[in-house]
Amino acid sequence: MFNLKNINTMESILSFFKAKGTKVYTIFATKKLQRKILLLFLILLGTVKVSYSQRGNYQYDEIGGFIGIGYYNGEICPVKPLYNPQLAFGLNFRHGFNDRLALSFQALRCVLKGDDNDFDNEYQKARNLRFENEIIELSLQMEFNFLPLKKGSKYNFISPYIAAGPGLVIGSFPHEGLQFCIPFGLGVKISPTQKFTLSFEWKYRKMFTDMLDHINDDLYDPQYGVEYTKQRSFLGNDDMYSFIGAVFSFQIGSTAPKQCGAYR
């Protein structure tokens, strides 16, 4: 499992990302569904950008960081929210098309953990499984503000929003390599000044693997009586994880108007 604390040289960093880059190519070269989803997102992004670049709206760029917690749901913890939260942090870049739409790029890191002994279930105590998976997520997410967000405005400086898009997960996935995910969720943006935006968000990550917790055997032992339905692994039930936290963003340069040539 990749561990940032063990990196002492630039060569080891480059070799790690070179190896993962090969897996990125393999994923997109062999999984048609993932390529179609990415293509659909790029077409949507292009359509939105062309449409809104002709309406006299202001565009802006922001760069900042994310700090919060991450937690997992899977075989060890199927539904309980906020289970075993771990520190999550990373970078955030946002391009605003106007006061309603924005596109954000996130690079986040978290160590997800789970342990059967955290639960008062006899089967889980007998199964006695645990895992630790350090992940790095790269994602593109389209954000939609429910209210017109005008940075530094006296009245329109706050808005709830939803976000979704494609992502890639670098981590430890036995026999499966790099993974594809779809982040989706909601949050609240606050822009008290022209240069600063604070966002609070809660987003789930839909994954297409059951190996986030390294539990891949769906067989169970009926000797546990009424608990026999709690299998070692739930076949066809992919794992998920979530991030809850805050994004601190600072505007790069000045806000610029974007208008079509005929209007000017």
PDB file of all heavy atoms in Angstrom, residues 191-225:
ATOM      1  N   SER A 191     -19.382  33.653  -0.073  1.00  0.00           N
ATOM      2  CA  SER A 191     -18.374  34.535  -0.677  1.00  0.00           C
ATOM      3  C   SER A 191     -18.522  35.940  -0.102  1.00  0.00           C
ATOM      4  O   SER A 191     -19.108  36.834  -0.734  1.00  0.00           O
ATOM      5  CB  SER A 191     -18.520  34.562  -2.201  1.00  0.00           C
ATOM      6  OG  SER A 191     -18.265  33.300  -2.766  1.00  0.00           O
ATOM      7  N   PRO A 192     -18.015  36.185   1.099  1.00  0.00           N
ATOM      8  CA  PRO A 192     -18.186  37.495   1.729  1.00  0.00           C
ATOM      9  C   PRO A 192     -17.405  38.609   1.043  1.00  0.00           C
ATOM     10  O   PRO A 192     -17.747  39.779   1.187  1.00  0.00           O
ATOM     11  CB  PRO A 192     -17.680  37.258   3.157  1.00  0.00           C
ATOM     12  CG  PRO A 192     -16.711  36.129   3.030  1.00  0.00           C
ATOM     13  CD  PRO A 192     -17.242  35.261   1.941  1.00  0.00           C
ATOM     14  N   THR A 193     -16.334  38.234   0.314  1.00  0.00           N
ATOM     15  CA  THR A 193     -15.538  39.226  -0.404  1.00  0.00           C
ATOM     16  C   THR A 193     -15.323  38.759  -1.836  1.00  0.00           C
ATOM     17  O   THR A 193     -15.583  37.610  -2.191  1.00  0.00           O
ATOM     18  CB  THR A 193     -14.169  39.451   0.257  1.00  0.00           C
ATOM     19  OG1 THR A 193     -13.353  38.282   0.066  1.00  0.00           O
ATOM     20  CG2 THR A 193     -14.316  39.712   1.750  1.00  0.00           C
ATOM     21  N   GLN A 194     -14.800  39.662  -2.672  1.00  0.00           N
ATOM     22  CA  GLN A 194     -14.537  39.341  -4.066  1.00  0.00           C
ATOM     23  C   GLN A 194     -13.455  38.282  -4.204  1.00  0.00           C
ATOM     24  O   GLN A 194     -13.436  37.507  -5.163  1.00  0.00           O
ATOM     25  CB  GLN A 194     -14.111  40.609  -4.813  1.00  0.00           C
ATOM     26  CG  GLN A 194     -14.005  40.447  -6.315  1.00  0.00           C
ATOM     27  CD  GLN A 194     -15.366  40.383  -6.983  1.00  0.00           C
ATOM     28  OE1 GLN A 194     -16.326  40.973  -6.519  1.00  0.00           O
ATOM     29  NE2 GLN A 194     -15.452  39.659  -8.092  1.00  0.00           N
ATOM     30  N   LYS A 195     -12.545  38.208  -3.243  1.00  0.00           N
ATOM     31  CA  LYS A 195     -11.367  37.351  -3.364  1.00  0.00           C
ATOM     32  C   LYS A 195     -11.457  36.027  -2.619  1.00  0.00           C
ATOM     33  O   LYS A 195     -10.616  35.162  -2.811  1.00  0.00           O
ATOM     34  CB  LYS A 195     -10.131  38.115  -2.852  1.00  0.00           C
ATOM     35  CG  LYS A 195      -9.720  39.300  -3.705  1.00  0.00           C
ATOM     36  CD  LYS A 195      -9.187  38.850  -5.057  1.00  0.00           C
ATOM     37  CE  LYS A 195      -8.648  40.012  -5.867  1.00  0.00           C
ATOM     38  NZ  LYS A 195      -8.080  39.578  -7.162  1.00  0.00           N
ATOM     39  N   PHE A 196     -12.478  35.838  -1.783  1.00  0.00           N
ATOM     40  CA  PHE A 196     -12.485  34.659  -0.910  1.00  0.00           C
ATOM     41  C   PHE A 196     -13.840  33.952  -0.944  1.00  0.00           C
ATOM     42  O   PHE A 196     -14.891  34.591  -0.917  1.00  0.00           O
ATOM     43  CB  PHE A 196     -12.176  35.072   0.536  1.00  0.00           C
ATOM     44  CG  PHE A 196     -12.246  33.934   1.524  1.00  0.00           C
ATOM     45  CD1 PHE A 196     -11.298  32.930   1.536  1.00  0.00           C
ATOM     46  CD2 PHE A 196     -13.286  33.875   2.438  1.00  0.00           C
ATOM     47  CE1 PHE A 196     -11.369  31.881   2.436  1.00  0.00           C
ATOM     48  CE2 PHE A 196     -13.372  32.836   3.355  1.00  0.00           C
ATOM     49  CZ  PHE A 196     -12.410  31.840   3.352  1.00  0.00           C
ATOM     50  N   THR A 197     -13.794  32.604  -1.025  1.00  0.00           N
ATOM     51  CA  THR A 197     -15.004  31.781  -0.966  1.00  0.00           C
ATOM     52  C   THR A 197     -14.782  30.633   0.007  1.00  0.00           C
ATOM     53  O   THR A 197     -13.752  29.948  -0.038  1.00  0.00           O
ATOM     54  CB  THR A 197     -15.362  31.206  -2.349  1.00  0.00           C
ATOM     55  OG1 THR A 197     -15.600  32.268  -3.269  1.00  0.00           O
ATOM     56  CG2 THR A 197     -16.607  30.336  -2.260  1.00  0.00           C
ATOM     57  N   LEU A 198     -15.748  30.417   0.880  1.00  0.00           N
ATOM     58  CA  LEU A 198     -15.718  29.310   1.834  1.00  0.00           C
ATOM     59  C   LEU A 198     -16.873  28.372   1.498  1.00  0.00           C
ATOM     60  O   LEU A 198     -18.024  28.803   1.416  1.00  0.00           O
ATOM     61  CB  LEU A 198     -15.850  29.827   3.260  1.00  0.00           C
ATOM     62  CG  LEU A 198     -15.977  28.773   4.367  1.00  0.00           C
ATOM     63  CD1 LEU A 198     -14.732  27.897   4.428  1.00  0.00           C
ATOM     64  CD2 LEU A 198     -16.250  29.441   5.713  1.00  0.00           C
ATOM     65  N   SER A 199     -16.561  27.091   1.317  1.00  0.00           N
ATOM     66  CA  SER A 199     -17.581  26.097   0.977  1.00  0.00           C
ATOM     67  C   SER A 199     -17.575  24.974   2.008  1.00  0.00           C
ATOM     68  O   SER A 199     -16.511  24.491   2.400  1.00  0.00           O
ATOM     69  CB  SER A 199     -17.333  25.498  -0.411  1.00  0.00           C
ATOM     70  OG  SER A 199     -17.219  26.492  -1.393  1.00  0.00           O
ATOM     71  N   PHE A 200     -18.767  24.570   2.447  1.00  0.00           N
ATOM     72  CA  PHE A 200     -18.924  23.387   3.283  1.00  0.00           C
ATOM     73  C   PHE A 200     -19.653  22.336   2.456  1.00  0.00           C
ATOM     74  O   PHE A 200     -20.737  22.625   1.914  1.00  0.00           O
ATOM     75  CB  PHE A 200     -19.728  23.725   4.542  1.00  0.00           C
ATOM     76  CG  PHE A 200     -19.071  24.734   5.431  1.00  0.00           C
ATOM     77  CD1 PHE A 200     -19.449  26.069   5.373  1.00  0.00           C
ATOM     78  CD2 PHE A 200     -18.066  24.364   6.316  1.00  0.00           C
ATOM     79  CE1 PHE A 200     -18.845  27.019   6.187  1.00  0.00           C
ATOM     80  CE2 PHE A 200     -17.457  25.306   7.136  1.00  0.00           C
ATOM     81  CZ  PHE A 200     -17.844  26.630   7.066  1.00  0.00           C
ATOM     82  N   GLU A 201     -19.085  21.120   2.355  1.00  0.00           N
ATOM     83  CA  GLU A 201     -19.681  20.128   1.475  1.00  0.00           C
ATOM     84  C   GLU A 201     -19.640  18.721   2.059  1.00  0.00           C
ATOM     85  O   GLU A 201     -18.778  18.388   2.887  1.00  0.00           O
ATOM     86  CB  GLU A 201     -18.983  20.134   0.112  1.00  0.00           C
ATOM     87  CG  GLU A 201     -17.482  19.892   0.150  1.00  0.00           C
ATOM     88  CD  GLU A 201     -16.855  19.994  -1.228  1.00  0.00           C
ATOM     89  OE1 GLU A 201     -17.278  20.870  -2.018  1.00  0.00           O
ATOM     90  OE2 GLU A 201     -15.956  19.178  -1.523  1.00  0.00           O
ATOM     91  N   TRP A 202     -20.593  17.916   1.623  1.00  0.00           N
ATOM     92  CA  TRP A 202     -20.697  16.505   1.998  1.00  0.00           C
ATOM     93  C   TRP A 202     -20.963  15.735   0.705  1.00  0.00           C
ATOM     94  O   TRP A 202     -22.020  15.863   0.097  1.00  0.00           O
ATOM     95  CB  TRP A 202     -21.835  16.301   2.994  1.00  0.00           C
ATOM     96  CG  TRP A 202     -21.936  14.885   3.540  1.00  0.00           C
ATOM     97  CD1 TRP A 202     -21.216  13.787   3.149  1.00  0.00           C
ATOM     98  CD2 TRP A 202     -22.807  14.442   4.582  1.00  0.00           C
ATOM     99  NE1 TRP A 202     -21.585  12.686   3.871  1.00  0.00           N
ATOM    100  CE2 TRP A 202     -22.566  13.048   4.769  1.00  0.00           C
ATOM    101  CE3 TRP A 202     -23.770  15.069   5.367  1.00  0.00           C
ATOM    102  CZ2 TRP A 202     -23.253  12.294   5.709  1.00  0.00           C
ATOM    103  CZ3 TRP A 202     -24.457  14.312   6.308  1.00  0.00           C
ATOM    104  CH2 TRP A 202     -24.202  12.943   6.475  1.00  0.00           C
ATOM    105  N   LYS A 203     -20.000  14.909   0.296  1.00  0.00           N
ATOM    106  CA  LYS A 203     -20.119  14.204  -0.973  1.00  0.00           C
ATOM    107  C   LYS A 203     -19.800  12.719  -0.801  1.00  0.00           C
ATOM    108  O   LYS A 203     -18.819  12.348  -0.156  1.00  0.00           O
ATOM    109  CB  LYS A 203     -19.164  14.793  -2.017  1.00  0.00           C
ATOM    110  CG  LYS A 203     -19.452  16.237  -2.383  1.00  0.00           C
ATOM    111  CD  LYS A 203     -18.416  16.758  -3.351  1.00  0.00           C
ATOM    112  CE  LYS A 203     -18.634  18.235  -3.677  1.00  0.00           C
ATOM    113  NZ  LYS A 203     -17.545  18.774  -4.523  1.00  0.00           N
ATOM    114  N   TYR A 204     -20.649  11.895  -1.411  1.00  0.00           N
ATOM    115  CA  TYR A 204     -20.404  10.464  -1.494  1.00  0.00           C
ATOM    116  C   TYR A 204     -19.601  10.155  -2.756  1.00  0.00           C
ATOM    117  O   TYR A 204     -19.620  10.922  -3.720  1.00  0.00           O
ATOM    118  CB  TYR A 204     -21.714   9.687  -1.519  1.00  0.00           C
ATOM    119  CG  TYR A 204     -22.289   9.409  -0.155  1.00  0.00           C
ATOM    120  CD1 TYR A 204     -23.086  10.357   0.489  1.00  0.00           C
ATOM    121  CD2 TYR A 204     -22.037   8.209   0.498  1.00  0.00           C
ATOM    122  CE1 TYR A 204     -23.623  10.114   1.742  1.00  0.00           C
ATOM    123  CE2 TYR A 204     -22.562   7.964   1.759  1.00  0.00           C
ATOM    124  CZ  TYR A 204     -23.350   8.916   2.370  1.00  0.00           C
ATOM    125  OH  TYR A 204     -23.862   8.673   3.617  1.00  0.00           O
ATOM    126  N   ARG A 205     -18.931   9.004  -2.734  1.00  0.00           N
ATOM    127  CA  ARG A 205     -18.204   8.521  -3.902  1.00  0.00           C
ATOM    128  C   ARG A 205     -18.767   7.157  -4.294  1.00  0.00           C
ATOM    129  O   ARG A 205     -18.563   6.185  -3.574  1.00  0.00           O
ATOM    130  CB  ARG A 205     -16.709   8.383  -3.604  1.00  0.00           C
ATOM    131  CG  ARG A 205     -15.881   9.616  -3.910  1.00  0.00           C
ATOM    132  CD  ARG A 205     -16.229  10.810  -3.093  1.00  0.00           C
ATOM    133  NE  ARG A 205     -15.367  11.948  -3.428  1.00  0.00           N
ATOM    134  CZ  ARG A 205     -15.478  13.150  -2.902  1.00  0.00           C
ATOM    135  NH1 ARG A 205     -16.413  13.386  -2.007  1.00  0.00           N
ATOM    136  NH2 ARG A 205     -14.663  14.123  -3.263  1.00  0.00           N
ATOM    137  N   LYS A 206     -19.474   7.108  -5.410  1.00  0.00           N
ATOM    138  CA  LYS A 206     -19.962   5.845  -5.936  1.00  0.00           C
ATOM    139  C   LYS A 206     -18.808   5.133  -6.633  1.00  0.00           C
ATOM    140  O   LYS A 206     -18.222   5.662  -7.575  1.00  0.00           O
ATOM    141  CB  LYS A 206     -21.112   6.096  -6.919  1.00  0.00           C
ATOM    142  CG  LYS A 206     -21.474   4.907  -7.790  1.00  0.00           C
ATOM    143  CD  LYS A 206     -21.923   3.707  -6.983  1.00  0.00           C
ATOM    144  CE  LYS A 206     -22.293   2.542  -7.905  1.00  0.00           C
ATOM    145  NZ  LYS A 206     -22.580   1.307  -7.134  1.00  0.00           N
ATOM    146  N   MET A 207     -18.485   3.930  -6.171  1.00  0.00           N
ATOM    147  CA  MET A 207     -17.400   3.164  -6.770  1.00  0.00           C
ATOM    148  C   MET A 207     -17.955   1.978  -7.558  1.00  0.00           C
ATOM    149  O   MET A 207     -19.138   1.618  -7.436  1.00  0.00           O
ATOM    150  CB  MET A 207     -16.425   2.675  -5.698  1.00  0.00           C
ATOM    151  CG  MET A 207     -15.776   3.790  -4.902  1.00  0.00           C
ATOM    152  SD  MET A 207     -14.316   3.227  -3.989  1.00  0.00           S
ATOM    153  CE  MET A 207     -13.159   2.968  -5.353  1.00  0.00           C
ATOM    154  N   PHE A 208     -17.106   1.380  -8.362  1.00  0.00           N
ATOM    155  CA  PHE A 208     -17.482   0.238  -9.188  1.00  0.00           C
ATOM    156  C   PHE A 208     -16.614  -0.968  -8.848  1.00  0.00           C
ATOM    157  O   PHE A 208     -16.253  -1.766  -9.705  1.00  0.00           O
ATOM    158  CB  PHE A 208     -17.372   0.611 -10.666  1.00  0.00           C
ATOM    159  CG  PHE A 208     -18.269   1.752 -11.050  1.00  0.00           C
ATOM    160  CD1 PHE A 208     -17.832   3.066 -10.924  1.00  0.00           C
ATOM    161  CD2 PHE A 208     -19.556   1.518 -11.502  1.00  0.00           C
ATOM    162  CE1 PHE A 208     -18.661   4.125 -11.255  1.00  0.00           C
ATOM    163  CE2 PHE A 208     -20.390   2.572 -11.832  1.00  0.00           C
ATOM    164  CZ  PHE A 208     -19.946   3.880 -11.711  1.00  0.00           C
ATOM    165  N   THR A 209     -16.266  -1.073  -7.568  1.00  0.00           N
ATOM    166  CA  THR A 209     -15.461  -2.182  -7.067  1.00  0.00           C
ATOM    167  C   THR A 209     -15.931  -2.541  -5.662  1.00  0.00           C
ATOM    168  O   THR A 209     -16.446  -1.691  -4.936  1.00  0.00           O
ATOM    169  CB  THR A 209     -13.969  -1.831  -7.027  1.00  0.00           C
ATOM    170  OG1 THR A 209     -13.231  -2.929  -6.471  1.00  0.00           O
ATOM    171  CG2 THR A 209     -13.719  -0.598  -6.169  1.00  0.00           C
ATOM    172  N   ASP A 210     -15.755  -3.796  -5.292  1.00  0.00           N
ATOM    173  CA  ASP A 210     -16.074  -4.260  -3.942  1.00  0.00           C
ATOM    174  C   ASP A 210     -14.784  -4.537  -3.164  1.00  0.00           C
ATOM    175  O   ASP A 210     -14.803  -5.255  -2.166  1.00  0.00           O
ATOM    176  CB  ASP A 210     -16.919  -5.538  -4.022  1.00  0.00           C
ATOM    177  CG  ASP A 210     -17.682  -5.798  -2.731  1.00  0.00           C
ATOM    178  OD1 ASP A 210     -17.951  -4.835  -2.002  1.00  0.00           O
ATOM    179  OD2 ASP A 210     -17.996  -6.967  -2.440  1.00  0.00           O
ATOM    180  N   MET A 211     -13.679  -3.935  -3.645  1.00  0.00           N
ATOM    181  CA  MET A 211     -12.371  -4.246  -3.079  1.00  0.00           C
ATOM    182  C   MET A 211     -11.758  -3.103  -2.287  1.00  0.00           C
ATOM    183  O   MET A 211     -10.580  -3.146  -1.937  1.00  0.00           O
ATOM    184  CB  MET A 211     -11.406  -4.665  -4.195  1.00  0.00           C
ATOM    185  CG  MET A 211     -11.788  -5.969  -4.869  1.00  0.00           C
ATOM    186  SD  MET A 211     -11.757  -7.358  -3.716  1.00  0.00           S
ATOM    187  CE  MET A 211     -10.029  -7.426  -3.319  1.00  0.00           C
ATOM    188  N   LEU A 212     -12.520  -2.065  -2.006  1.00  0.00           N
ATOM    189  CA  LEU A 212     -11.984  -0.963  -1.201  1.00  0.00           C
ATOM    190  C   LEU A 212     -11.540  -1.464   0.169  1.00  0.00           C
ATOM    191  O   LEU A 212     -10.516  -1.032   0.707  1.00  0.00           O
ATOM    192  CB  LEU A 212     -13.038   0.133  -1.047  1.00  0.00           C
ATOM    193  CG  LEU A 212     -12.655   1.348  -0.193  1.00  0.00           C
ATOM    194  CD1 LEU A 212     -11.478   2.087  -0.796  1.00  0.00           C
ATOM    195  CD2 LEU A 212     -13.847   2.282  -0.029  1.00  0.00           C
ATOM    196  N   ASP A 213     -12.310  -2.405   0.748  1.00  0.00           N
ATOM    197  CA  ASP A 213     -11.970  -2.959   2.065  1.00  0.00           C
ATOM    198  C   ASP A 213     -11.224  -4.292   1.976  1.00  0.00           C
ATOM    199  O   ASP A 213     -11.052  -4.980   2.981  1.00  0.00           O
ATOM    200  CB  ASP A 213     -13.228  -3.130   2.908  1.00  0.00           C
ATOM    201  CG  ASP A 213     -14.332  -3.874   2.162  1.00  0.00           C
ATOM    202  OD1 ASP A 213     -14.029  -4.561   1.168  1.00  0.00           O
ATOM    203  OD2 ASP A 213     -15.501  -3.766   2.561  1.00  0.00           O
ATOM    204  N   HIS A 214     -10.818  -4.675   0.747  1.00  0.00           N
ATOM    205  CA  HIS A 214     -10.008  -5.893   0.515  1.00  0.00           C
ATOM    206  C   HIS A 214     -10.765  -7.179   0.844  1.00  0.00           C
ATOM    207  O   HIS A 214     -10.149  -8.221   1.053  1.00  0.00           O
ATOM    208  CB  HIS A 214      -8.700  -5.847   1.311  1.00  0.00           C
ATOM    209  CG  HIS A 214      -7.848  -4.669   1.008  1.00  0.00           C
ATOM    210  ND1 HIS A 214      -6.752  -4.319   1.774  1.00  0.00           N
ATOM    211  CD2 HIS A 214      -7.922  -3.733   0.025  1.00  0.00           C
ATOM    212  CE1 HIS A 214      -6.191  -3.236   1.281  1.00  0.00           C
ATOM    213  NE2 HIS A 214      -6.889  -2.859   0.217  1.00  0.00           N
ATOM    214  N   ILE A 215     -12.099  -7.138   0.901  1.00  0.00           N
ATOM    215  CA  ILE A 215     -12.897  -8.333   1.191  1.00  0.00           C
ATOM    216  C   ILE A 215     -13.568  -8.770  -0.105  1.00  0.00           C
ATOM    217  O   ILE A 215     -14.518  -8.132  -0.565  1.00  0.00           O
ATOM    218  CB  ILE A 215     -13.962  -8.054   2.272  1.00  0.00           C
ATOM    219  CG1 ILE A 215     -13.289  -7.528   3.546  1.00  0.00           C
ATOM    220  CG2 ILE A 215     -14.762  -9.316   2.579  1.00  0.00           C
ATOM    221  CD1 ILE A 215     -14.267  -7.130   4.636  1.00  0.00           C
ATOM    222  N   ASN A 216     -13.095  -9.844  -0.705  1.00  0.00           N
ATOM    223  CA  ASN A 216     -13.583 -10.233  -2.021  1.00  0.00           C
ATOM    224  C   ASN A 216     -14.233 -11.607  -2.062  1.00  0.00           C
ATOM    225  O   ASN A 216     -14.631 -12.077  -3.112  1.00  0.00           O
ATOM    226  CB  ASN A 216     -12.444 -10.188  -3.041  1.00  0.00           C
ATOM    227  CG  ASN A 216     -11.362 -11.211  -2.717  1.00  0.00           C
ATOM    228  OD1 ASN A 216     -11.294 -11.715  -1.600  1.00  0.00           O
ATOM    229  ND2 ASN A 216     -10.510 -11.508  -3.697  1.00  0.00           N
ATOM    230  N   ASP A 217     -14.360 -12.310  -0.941  1.00  0.00           N
ATOM    231  CA  ASP A 217     -14.960 -13.635  -0.914  1.00  0.00           C
ATOM    232  C   ASP A 217     -16.381 -13.526  -0.374  1.00  0.00           C
ATOM    233  O   ASP A 217     -16.589 -13.128   0.769  1.00  0.00           O
ATOM    234  CB  ASP A 217     -14.124 -14.564  -0.025  1.00  0.00           C
ATOM    235  CG  ASP A 217     -14.602 -16.008  -0.085  1.00  0.00           C
ATOM    236  OD1 ASP A 217     -15.606 -16.251  -0.778  1.00  0.00           O
ATOM    237  OD2 ASP A 217     -13.979 -16.863   0.553  1.00  0.00           O
ATOM    238  N   ASP A 218     -17.386 -13.874  -1.197  1.00  0.00           N
ATOM    239  CA  ASP A 218     -18.771 -13.709  -0.774  1.00  0.00           C
ATOM    240  C   ASP A 218     -19.326 -14.952  -0.074  1.00  0.00           C
ATOM    241  O   ASP A 218     -20.519 -15.027   0.207  1.00  0.00           O
ATOM    242  CB  ASP A 218     -19.658 -13.370  -1.974  1.00  0.00           C
ATOM    243  CG  ASP A 218     -19.737 -14.523  -2.965  1.00  0.00           C
ATOM    244  OD1 ASP A 218     -18.677 -15.073  -3.293  1.00  0.00           O
ATOM    245  OD2 ASP A 218     -20.849 -14.859  -3.396  1.00  0.00           O
ATOM    246  N   LEU A 219     -18.483 -15.946   0.200  1.00  0.00           N
ATOM    247  CA  LEU A 219     -18.953 -17.151   0.877  1.00  0.00           C
ATOM    248  C   LEU A 219     -19.182 -16.887   2.360  1.00  0.00           C
ATOM    249  O   LEU A 219     -18.549 -16.028   2.957  1.00  0.00           O
ATOM    250  CB  LEU A 219     -17.926 -18.284   0.708  1.00  0.00           C
ATOM    251  CG  LEU A 219     -17.657 -18.721  -0.734  1.00  0.00           C
ATOM    252  CD1 LEU A 219     -16.586 -19.808  -0.749  1.00  0.00           C
ATOM    253  CD2 LEU A 219     -18.918 -19.207  -1.409  1.00  0.00           C
ATOM    254  N   TYR A 220     -20.103 -17.630   2.971  1.00  0.00           N
ATOM    255  CA  TYR A 220     -20.375 -17.500   4.395  1.00  0.00           C
ATOM    256  C   TYR A 220     -20.442 -18.889   5.022  1.00  0.00           C
ATOM    257  O   TYR A 220     -20.572 -19.899   4.331  1.00  0.00           O
ATOM    258  CB  TYR A 220     -21.680 -16.744   4.653  1.00  0.00           C
ATOM    259  CG  TYR A 220     -22.901 -17.388   4.053  1.00  0.00           C
ATOM    260  CD1 TYR A 220     -23.610 -18.364   4.745  1.00  0.00           C
ATOM    261  CD2 TYR A 220     -23.355 -17.012   2.793  1.00  0.00           C
ATOM    262  CE1 TYR A 220     -24.731 -18.960   4.202  1.00  0.00           C
ATOM    263  CE2 TYR A 220     -24.475 -17.607   2.244  1.00  0.00           C
ATOM    264  CZ  TYR A 220     -25.158 -18.579   2.946  1.00  0.00           C
ATOM    265  OH  TYR A 220     -26.260 -19.160   2.399  1.00  0.00           O
ATOM    266  N   ASP A 221     -20.386 -18.929   6.327  1.00  0.00           N
ATOM    267  CA  ASP A 221     -20.440 -20.184   7.070  1.00  0.00           C
ATOM    268  C   ASP A 221     -21.758 -20.248   7.829  1.00  0.00           C
ATOM    269  O   ASP A 221     -21.986 -19.453   8.744  1.00  0.00           O
ATOM    270  CB  ASP A 221     -19.257 -20.265   8.042  1.00  0.00           C
ATOM    271  CG  ASP A 221     -19.096 -21.655   8.624  1.00  0.00           C
ATOM    272  OD1 ASP A 221     -20.100 -22.394   8.657  1.00  0.00           O
ATOM    273  OD2 ASP A 221     -17.975 -21.986   9.049  1.00  0.00           O
ATOM    274  N   PRO A 222     -22.666 -21.182   7.492  1.00  0.00           N
ATOM    275  CA  PRO A 222     -23.987 -21.226   8.132  1.00  0.00           C
ATOM    276  C   PRO A 222     -23.961 -21.653   9.597  1.00  0.00           C
ATOM    277  O   PRO A 222     -25.000 -21.645  10.252  1.00  0.00           O
ATOM    278  CB  PRO A 222     -24.742 -22.256   7.283  1.00  0.00           C
ATOM    279  CG  PRO A 222     -23.684 -23.089   6.666  1.00  0.00           C
ATOM    280  CD  PRO A 222     -22.521 -22.163   6.427  1.00  0.00           C
ATOM    281  N   GLN A 223     -22.788 -21.984  10.125  1.00  0.00           N
ATOM    282  CA  GLN A 223     -22.729 -22.411  11.524  1.00  0.00           C
ATOM    283  C   GLN A 223     -23.076 -21.283  12.485  1.00  0.00           C
ATOM    284  O   GLN A 223     -23.295 -21.521  13.679  1.00  0.00           O
ATOM    285  CB  GLN A 223     -21.330 -22.938  11.858  1.00  0.00           C
ATOM    286  CG  GLN A 223     -20.253 -21.861  11.838  1.00  0.00           C
ATOM    287  CD  GLN A 223     -18.902 -22.381  12.293  1.00  0.00           C
ATOM    288  OE1 GLN A 223     -18.814 -23.069  13.304  1.00  0.00           O
ATOM    289  NE2 GLN A 223     -17.861 -22.063  11.537  1.00  0.00           N
ATOM    290  N   TYR A 224     -23.172 -20.040  11.983  1.00  0.00           N
ATOM    291  CA  TYR A 224     -23.481 -18.919  12.864  1.00  0.00           C
ATOM    292  C   TYR A 224     -24.981 -18.702  13.019  1.00  0.00           C
ATOM    293  O   TYR A 224     -25.425 -17.652  13.488  1.00  0.00           O
ATOM    294  CB  TYR A 224     -22.794 -17.656  12.349  1.00  0.00           C
ATOM    295  CG  TYR A 224     -21.287 -17.769  12.411  1.00  0.00           C
ATOM    296  CD1 TYR A 224     -20.562 -18.066  11.262  1.00  0.00           C
ATOM    297  CD2 TYR A 224     -20.610 -17.636  13.617  1.00  0.00           C
ATOM    298  CE1 TYR A 224     -19.183 -18.199  11.313  1.00  0.00           C
ATOM    299  CE2 TYR A 224     -19.233 -17.785  13.677  1.00  0.00           C
ATOM    300  CZ  TYR A 224     -18.527 -18.063  12.531  1.00  0.00           C
ATOM    301  OH  TYR A 224     -17.170 -18.219  12.576  1.00  0.00           O
ATOM    302  N   GLY A 225     -25.791 -19.683  12.621  1.00  0.00           N
ATOM    303  CA  GLY A 225     -27.226 -19.656  12.880  1.00  0.00           C
ATOM    304  C   GLY A 225     -27.933 -18.490  12.246  1.00  0.00           C
ATOM    305  O   GLY A 225     -27.849 -18.280  11.041  1.00  0.00           O
TER     306      GLY A 225
END
